[in-house]
């Protein structure tokens, strides 16, 4: 879940840290894409069972795309930033506790590490 929190922090703090582009977060939830194959072993019983459960619990990639693609080109997004959207193309609230202080505590060391790595 660290990746999910990190992505949400980037969406919420992006405009403050790097103004210019608009920042949007997509939270597709579970979608049957075989992304779990590396972790569970492609074609293994666990992998196949997991994909069946995911397929029953969430939308297919085609349904998700049909919902999200029109949103990505909606005129209503012009001039807006820091919005997060669920798998039904509905705006969702940020996670409680991911305010500016927490975001800075997360991003400051990340930026310092990046600076050391590239320069």
């Amino acid at each position: 879940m660290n990746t999910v929190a990190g992505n949400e922090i980037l969406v919420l703090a992006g405009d403050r840290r790097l103004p210019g582009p608009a920042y949007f977060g997509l939270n597709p939830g579970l979608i049957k894409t075989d992304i779990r194959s590396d972790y569970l072993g492609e074609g293994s019983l666990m992998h196949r069972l997991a994909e069946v459960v995911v397929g029953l619990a969430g939308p297919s990639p085609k349904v998700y795309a049909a919902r999200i693609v029109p949103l990505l080109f909606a005129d209503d997004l012009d001039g807006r930033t820091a919005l997060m959207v669920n798998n039904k193309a509905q705006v969702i609230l940020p996670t409680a506790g991911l305010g500016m202080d927490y975001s800075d505590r997360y991003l400051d060391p990340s930026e310092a590490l990046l600076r050391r790595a590239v320069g």
Side-chain angles (χ1 to χ4, degrees):
M1 294 306 293
N2 285 340
T3 302
V4 174
N7 288 339
E8 188 171 338
I9 287 169
L10 291 172
V11 170
L12 297 173
D15 193 49
R16 190 169 48 88
R17 293 272 183 151
L18 185 61
Y23 296 88
F24 301 101
L26 302 178
N27 181 359
L30 292 174
I31 296 179
K32 185 177 177 180
T33 62
D34 283 336
I35 196 170
R36 291 155 286 278
S37 65
D38 288 339
Y39 178 71
L40 297 173
E42 185 174 357
S44 70
L45 179 61
M46 285 302 295
H47 174 238
R48 289 181 290 159
L49 287 173
E51 291 304 308
V52 167
V53 170
V54 168
L56 295 172
S60 70
K62 195 177 232 181
V63 168
Y64 177 68
R67 292 174 180 167
I68 296 300
V69 169
L71 174 71
L72 298 177
F73 297 96
D75 291 337
D76 291 346
L77 293 181
D78 289 347
R80 301 194 63 190
T81 191
L83 294 178
M84 291 171 292
V85 179
N86 67 14
N87 63 5
K88 295 179 181 163
Q90 299 166 330
V91 174
I92 56 176
L93 295 173
T95 301
L98 290 185
M100 284 196 310
D101 290 339
Y102 187 89
S103 295
D104 288 342
R105 284 196 328 259
Y106 184 92
L107 290 173
D108 289 344
S110 297
E111 287 180 357
L113 180 62
L114 181 63
R115 280 191 200 94
R116 277 199 323 257
V118 297

mmCIF file of all heavy atoms in Angstrom, residues 82-115:
data_model
loop_
_atom_site.group_PDB
_atom_site.id
_atom_site.type_symbol
_atom_site.label_atom_id
_atom_site.label_comp_id
_atom_site.label_asym_id
_atom_site.label_seq_id
_atom_site.Cartn_x
_atom_site.Cartn_y
_atom_site.Cartn_z
ATOM 1 N N ALA A 82 -5.307 17.842 -8.826
ATOM 2 C CA ALA A 82 -5.372 17.116 -7.544
ATOM 3 C C ALA A 82 -6.689 16.371 -7.353
ATOM 4 O O ALA A 82 -7.165 16.233 -6.235
ATOM 5 C CB ALA A 82 -5.097 18.046 -6.365
ATOM 6 N N LEU A 83 -7.256 15.893 -8.444
ATOM 7 C CA LEU A 83 -8.459 15.072 -8.345
ATOM 8 C C LEU A 83 -8.070 13.606 -8.453
ATOM 9 O O LEU A 83 -7.183 13.240 -9.215
ATOM 10 C CB LEU A 83 -9.441 15.395 -9.467
ATOM 11 C CG LEU A 83 -10.066 16.776 -9.471
ATOM 12 C CD1 LEU A 83 -10.976 16.929 -10.685
ATOM 13 C CD2 LEU A 83 -10.848 17.014 -8.191
ATOM 14 N N MET A 84 -8.763 12.796 -7.677
ATOM 15 C CA MET A 84 -8.577 11.346 -7.755
ATOM 16 C C MET A 84 -9.902 10.720 -8.135
ATOM 17 O O MET A 84 -10.961 11.181 -7.710
ATOM 18 C CB MET A 84 -8.061 10.816 -6.435
ATOM 19 C CG MET A 84 -6.638 11.279 -6.192
ATOM 20 S SD MET A 84 -6.042 10.928 -4.575
ATOM 21 C CE MET A 84 -7.038 12.002 -3.595
ATOM 22 N N VAL A 85 -9.831 9.679 -8.959
ATOM 23 C CA VAL A 85 -11.025 9.107 -9.568
ATOM 24 C C VAL A 85 -11.021 7.592 -9.358
ATOM 25 O O VAL A 85 -9.996 6.938 -9.522
ATOM 26 C CB VAL A 85 -11.033 9.432 -11.084
ATOM 27 C CG1 VAL A 85 -12.241 8.849 -11.763
ATOM 28 C CG2 VAL A 85 -10.970 10.928 -11.300
ATOM 29 N N ASN A 86 -12.192 7.038 -9.029
ATOM 30 C CA ASN A 86 -12.294 5.588 -8.835
ATOM 31 C C ASN A 86 -12.569 4.872 -10.156
ATOM 32 O O ASN A 86 -12.581 5.496 -11.215
ATOM 33 C CB ASN A 86 -13.343 5.251 -7.776
ATOM 34 C CG ASN A 86 -14.763 5.573 -8.192
ATOM 35 O OD1 ASN A 86 -15.071 5.822 -9.361
ATOM 36 N ND2 ASN A 86 -15.661 5.578 -7.224
ATOM 37 N N ASN A 87 -12.844 3.570 -10.082
ATOM 38 C CA ASN A 87 -13.024 2.787 -11.303
ATOM 39 C C ASN A 87 -14.362 3.017 -11.995
ATOM 40 O O ASN A 87 -14.623 2.447 -13.040
ATOM 41 C CB ASN A 87 -12.815 1.293 -11.028
ATOM 42 C CG ASN A 87 -13.828 0.718 -10.060
ATOM 43 O OD1 ASN A 87 -14.766 1.385 -9.647
ATOM 44 N ND2 ASN A 87 -13.629 -0.518 -9.695
ATOM 45 N N LYS A 88 -15.197 3.875 -11.418
ATOM 46 C CA LYS A 88 -16.466 4.243 -12.050
ATOM 47 C C LYS A 88 -16.437 5.682 -12.552
ATOM 48 O O LYS A 88 -17.471 6.280 -12.825
ATOM 49 C CB LYS A 88 -17.616 4.035 -11.072
ATOM 50 C CG LYS A 88 -17.794 2.572 -10.719
ATOM 51 C CD LYS A 88 -18.909 2.368 -9.746
ATOM 52 C CE LYS A 88 -19.006 0.884 -9.440
ATOM 53 N NZ LYS A 88 -19.774 0.614 -8.253
ATOM 54 N N ALA A 89 -15.230 6.245 -12.643
ATOM 55 C CA ALA A 89 -15.012 7.624 -13.105
ATOM 56 C C ALA A 89 -15.658 8.647 -12.187
ATOM 57 O O ALA A 89 -16.083 9.710 -12.629
ATOM 58 C CB ALA A 89 -15.481 7.798 -14.549
ATOM 59 N N GLN A 90 -15.710 8.332 -10.894
ATOM 60 C CA GLN A 90 -16.256 9.249 -9.892
ATOM 61 C C GLN A 90 -15.110 9.815 -9.066
ATOM 62 O O GLN A 90 -14.186 9.086 -8.682
ATOM 63 C CB GLN A 90 -17.225 8.501 -8.963
ATOM 64 C CG GLN A 90 -18.403 7.904 -9.680
ATOM 65 C CD GLN A 90 -19.148 6.900 -8.816
ATOM 66 O OE1 GLN A 90 -18.581 6.242 -7.960
ATOM 67 N NE2 GLN A 90 -20.439 6.787 -9.061
ATOM 68 N N VAL A 91 -15.183 11.115 -8.776
ATOM 69 C CA VAL A 91 -14.165 11.747 -7.945
ATOM 70 C C VAL A 91 -14.276 11.186 -6.535
ATOM 71 O O VAL A 91 -15.376 11.041 -5.995
ATOM 72 C CB VAL A 91 -14.329 13.282 -7.948
ATOM 73 C CG1 VAL A 91 -13.362 13.930 -6.977
ATOM 74 C CG2 VAL A 91 -14.122 13.832 -9.357
ATOM 75 N N ILE A 92 -13.128 10.844 -5.960
ATOM 76 C CA ILE A 92 -13.094 10.320 -4.599
ATOM 77 C C ILE A 92 -12.289 11.247 -3.702
ATOM 78 O O ILE A 92 -11.446 12.017 -4.177
ATOM 79 C CB ILE A 92 -12.512 8.888 -4.562
ATOM 80 C CG1 ILE A 92 -11.120 8.839 -5.205
ATOM 81 C CG2 ILE A 92 -13.462 7.909 -5.243
ATOM 82 C CD1 ILE A 92 -10.444 7.472 -5.125
ATOM 83 N N LEU A 93 -12.560 11.183 -2.418
ATOM 84 C CA LEU A 93 -11.876 12.026 -1.444
ATOM 85 C C LEU A 93 -10.469 11.506 -1.171
ATOM 86 O O LEU A 93 -10.225 10.299 -1.234
ATOM 87 C CB LEU A 93 -12.666 12.055 -0.136
ATOM 88 C CG LEU A 93 -14.044 12.703 -0.210
ATOM 89 C CD1 LEU A 93 -14.784 12.521 1.111
ATOM 90 C CD2 LEU A 93 -13.927 14.171 -0.565
ATOM 91 N N PRO A 94 -9.555 12.403 -0.830
ATOM 92 C CA PRO A 94 -8.212 11.961 -0.448
ATOM 93 C C PRO A 94 -8.271 11.139 0.836
ATOM 94 O O PRO A 94 -9.201 11.268 1.632
ATOM 95 C CB PRO A 94 -7.451 13.261 -0.206
ATOM 96 C CG PRO A 94 -8.289 14.352 -0.746
ATOM 97 C CD PRO A 94 -9.686 13.852 -0.812
ATOM 98 N N THR A 95 -7.258 10.348 1.047
ATOM 99 C CA THR A 95 -7.142 9.578 2.271
ATOM 100 C C THR A 95 -6.923 10.520 3.443
ATOM 101 O O THR A 95 -6.097 11.439 3.356
ATOM 102 C CB THR A 95 -5.954 8.592 2.164
ATOM 103 O OG1 THR A 95 -6.180 7.740 1.045
ATOM 104 C CG2 THR A 95 -5.781 7.785 3.421
ATOM 105 N N ALA A 96 -7.658 10.294 4.522
ATOM 106 C CA ALA A 96 -7.494 11.114 5.721
ATOM 107 C C ALA A 96 -6.051 10.986 6.219
ATOM 108 O O ALA A 96 -5.478 9.910 6.229
ATOM 109 C CB ALA A 96 -8.467 10.653 6.802
ATOM 110 N N GLY A 97 -5.465 12.091 6.599
ATOM 111 C CA GLY A 97 -4.107 12.082 7.128
ATOM 112 C C GLY A 97 -3.022 12.378 6.110
ATOM 113 O O GLY A 97 -1.866 12.527 6.482
ATOM 114 N N LEU A 98 -3.376 12.453 4.838
ATOM 115 C CA LEU A 98 -2.358 12.758 3.821
ATOM 116 C C LEU A 98 -2.354 14.253 3.508
ATOM 117 O O LEU A 98 -2.452 14.666 2.367
ATOM 118 C CB LEU A 98 -2.604 11.954 2.544
ATOM 119 C CG LEU A 98 -2.357 10.462 2.608
ATOM 120 C CD1 LEU A 98 -2.518 9.831 1.233
ATOM 121 C CD2 LEU A 98 -0.997 10.141 3.175
ATOM 122 N N GLY A 99 -2.198 15.043 4.544
ATOM 123 C CA GLY A 99 -2.146 16.491 4.370
ATOM 124 C C GLY A 99 -0.759 16.952 3.957
ATOM 125 O O GLY A 99 0.140 16.148 3.669
ATOM 126 N N MET A 100 -0.565 18.277 3.953
ATOM 127 C CA MET A 100 0.705 18.852 3.509
ATOM 128 C C MET A 100 1.873 18.403 4.379
ATOM 129 O O MET A 100 2.953 18.113 3.870
ATOM 130 C CB MET A 100 0.619 20.378 3.463
ATOM 131 C CG MET A 100 -0.156 20.884 2.267
ATOM 132 S SD MET A 100 0.072 22.638 1.884
ATOM 133 C CE MET A 100 -0.210 23.438 3.439
ATOM 134 N N ASP A 101 1.690 18.352 5.693
ATOM 135 C CA ASP A 101 2.791 17.951 6.570
ATOM 136 C C ASP A 101 3.253 16.531 6.259
ATOM 137 O O ASP A 101 4.443 16.265 6.127
ATOM 138 C CB ASP A 101 2.379 18.044 8.044
ATOM 139 C CG ASP A 101 2.203 19.483 8.502
ATOM 140 O OD1 ASP A 101 2.751 20.392 7.850
ATOM 141 O OD2 ASP A 101 1.517 19.691 9.521
ATOM 142 N N TYR A 102 2.301 15.613 6.133
ATOM 143 C CA TYR A 102 2.656 14.228 5.839
ATOM 144 C C TYR A 102 3.283 14.114 4.457
ATOM 145 O O TYR A 102 4.273 13.416 4.271
ATOM 146 C CB TYR A 102 1.423 13.321 5.939
ATOM 147 C CG TYR A 102 1.771 11.868 5.809
ATOM 148 C CD1 TYR A 102 2.113 11.117 6.928
ATOM 149 C CD2 TYR A 102 1.802 11.250 4.563
ATOM 150 C CE1 TYR A 102 2.463 9.781 6.816
ATOM 151 C CE2 TYR A 102 2.145 9.910 4.442
ATOM 152 C CZ TYR A 102 2.480 9.185 5.563
ATOM 153 O OH TYR A 102 2.834 7.872 5.437
ATOM 154 N N SER A 103 2.718 14.833 3.500
ATOM 155 C CA SER A 103 3.258 14.811 2.139
ATOM 156 C C SER A 103 4.704 15.284 2.119
ATOM 157 O O SER A 103 5.558 14.678 1.462
ATOM 158 C CB SER A 103 2.415 15.692 1.212
ATOM 159 O OG SER A 103 1.128 15.182 1.083
ATOM 160 N N ASP A 104 4.990 16.359 2.836
ATOM 161 C CA ASP A 104 6.357 16.876 2.865
ATOM 162 C C ASP A 104 7.307 15.894 3.546
ATOM 163 O O ASP A 104 8.444 15.715 3.091
ATOM 164 C CB ASP A 104 6.405 18.230 3.567
ATOM 165 C CG ASP A 104 5.778 19.334 2.737
ATOM 166 O OD1 ASP A 104 5.623 19.156 1.507
ATOM 167 O OD2 ASP A 104 5.418 20.380 3.321
ATOM 168 N N ARG A 105 6.855 15.242 4.618
ATOM 169 C CA ARG A 105 7.695 14.243 5.291
ATOM 170 C C ARG A 105 7.992 13.063 4.367
ATOM 171 O O ARG A 105 9.017 12.410 4.495
ATOM 172 C CB ARG A 105 7.019 13.743 6.571
ATOM 173 C CG ARG A 105 7.087 14.721 7.712
ATOM 174 C CD ARG A 105 6.786 14.104 9.068
ATOM 175 N NE ARG A 105 5.844 13.019 9.088
ATOM 176 C CZ ARG A 105 4.557 13.118 9.435
ATOM 177 N NH1 ARG A 105 4.059 14.282 9.766
ATOM 178 N NH2 ARG A 105 3.781 12.061 9.449
ATOM 179 N N TYR A 106 7.114 12.799 3.432
ATOM 180 C CA TYR A 106 7.297 11.708 2.469
ATOM 181 C C TYR A 106 8.145 12.157 1.277
ATOM 182 O O TYR A 106 9.041 11.453 0.846
ATOM 183 C CB TYR A 106 5.919 11.230 1.998
ATOM 184 C CG TYR A 106 5.938 10.042 1.077
ATOM 185 C CD1 TYR A 106 5.842 8.754 1.562
ATOM 186 C CD2 TYR A 106 6.043 10.219 -0.307
ATOM 187 C CE1 TYR A 106 5.845 7.653 0.709
ATOM 188 C CE2 TYR A 106 6.050 9.127 -1.162
ATOM 189 C CZ TYR A 106 5.951 7.852 -0.648
ATOM 190 O OH TYR A 106 5.963 6.784 -1.491
ATOM 191 N N LEU A 107 7.859 13.338 0.765
ATOM 192 C CA LEU A 107 8.503 13.792 -0.464
ATOM 193 C C LEU A 107 9.899 14.368 -0.257
ATOM 194 O O LEU A 107 10.760 14.214 -1.130
ATOM 195 C CB LEU A 107 7.618 14.814 -1.175
ATOM 196 C CG LEU A 107 6.339 14.250 -1.781
ATOM 197 C CD1 LEU A 107 5.454 15.365 -2.307
ATOM 198 C CD2 LEU A 107 6.654 13.248 -2.875
ATOM 199 N N ASP A 108 10.156 15.036 0.861
ATOM 200 C CA ASP A 108 11.474 15.639 1.082
ATOM 201 C C ASP A 108 12.602 14.600 1.004
ATOM 202 O O ASP A 108 13.559 14.796 0.257
ATOM 203 C CB ASP A 108 11.516 16.394 2.409
ATOM 204 C CG ASP A 108 10.699 17.686 2.378
ATOM 205 O OD1 ASP A 108 10.359 18.159 1.273
ATOM 206 O OD2 ASP A 108 10.404 18.209 3.473
ATOM 207 N N PRO A 109 12.518 13.494 1.747
ATOM 208 C CA PRO A 109 13.589 12.491 1.622
ATOM 209 C C PRO A 109 13.642 11.841 0.234
ATOM 210 O O PRO A 109 14.714 11.486 -0.252
ATOM 211 C CB PRO A 109 13.248 11.440 2.685
ATOM 212 C CG PRO A 109 12.215 12.033 3.553
ATOM 213 C CD PRO A 109 11.577 13.154 2.800
ATOM 214 N N SER A 110 12.485 11.699 -0.404
ATOM 215 C CA SER A 110 12.452 11.120 -1.751
ATOM 216 C C SER A 110 13.184 12.023 -2.732
ATOM 217 O O SER A 110 13.962 11.553 -3.572
ATOM 218 C CB SER A 110 11.009 10.913 -2.210
ATOM 219 O OG SER A 110 10.347 10.004 -1.379
ATOM 220 N N GLU A 111 12.959 13.331 -2.637
ATOM 221 C CA GLU A 111 13.648 14.274 -3.520
ATOM 222 C C GLU A 111 15.149 14.308 -3.229
ATOM 223 O O GLU A 111 15.963 14.380 -4.156
ATOM 224 C CB GLU A 111 13.038 15.666 -3.387
ATOM 225 C CG GLU A 111 11.687 15.785 -4.034
ATOM 226 C CD GLU A 111 11.080 17.175 -3.888
ATOM 227 O OE1 GLU A 111 11.681 18.056 -3.228
ATOM 228 O OE2 GLU A 111 9.984 17.370 -4.441
ATOM 229 N N ALA A 112 15.525 14.213 -1.950
ATOM 230 C CA ALA A 112 16.943 14.194 -1.591
ATOM 231 C C ALA A 112 17.621 12.945 -2.164
ATOM 232 O O ALA A 112 18.748 13.036 -2.691
ATOM 233 C CB ALA A 112 17.109 14.252 -0.069
ATOM 234 N N LEU A 113 16.963 11.826 -2.083
ATOM 235 C CA LEU A 113 17.504 10.583 -2.651
ATOM 236 C C LEU A 113 17.652 10.701 -4.170
ATOM 237 O O LEU A 113 18.673 10.293 -4.738
ATOM 238 C CB LEU A 113 16.588 9.411 -2.294
ATOM 239 C CG LEU A 113 16.997 8.045 -2.805
ATOM 240 C CD1 LEU A 113 18.348 7.640 -2.227
ATOM 241 C CD2 LEU A 113 15.925 7.019 -2.452
ATOM 242 N N LEU A 114 16.663 11.288 -4.814
ATOM 243 C CA LEU A 114 16.719 11.476 -6.248
ATOM 244 C C LEU A 114 17.880 12.397 -6.636
ATOM 245 O O LEU A 114 18.625 12.114 -7.591
ATOM 246 C CB LEU A 114 15.388 12.031 -6.770
ATOM 247 C CG LEU A 114 15.274 12.260 -8.254
ATOM 248 C CD1 LEU A 114 15.411 10.948 -9.010
ATOM 249 C CD2 LEU A 114 13.937 12.902 -8.599
ATOM 250 N N ARG A 115 18.055 13.467 -5.900
ATOM 251 C CA ARG A 115 19.171 14.382 -6.187
ATOM 252 C C ARG A 115 20.518 13.674 -6.066
ATOM 253 O O ARG A 115 21.425 13.893 -6.878
ATOM 254 C CB ARG A 115 19.108 15.586 -5.249
ATOM 255 C CG ARG A 115 18.107 16.621 -5.676
ATOM 256 C CD ARG A 115 18.267 17.922 -4.883
ATOM 257 N NE ARG A 115 17.049 18.670 -4.975
ATOM 258 C CZ ARG A 115 16.055 18.623 -4.091
ATOM 259 N NH1 ARG A 115 16.159 17.879 -3.003
ATOM 260 N NH2 ARG A 115 14.954 19.330 -4.255
#
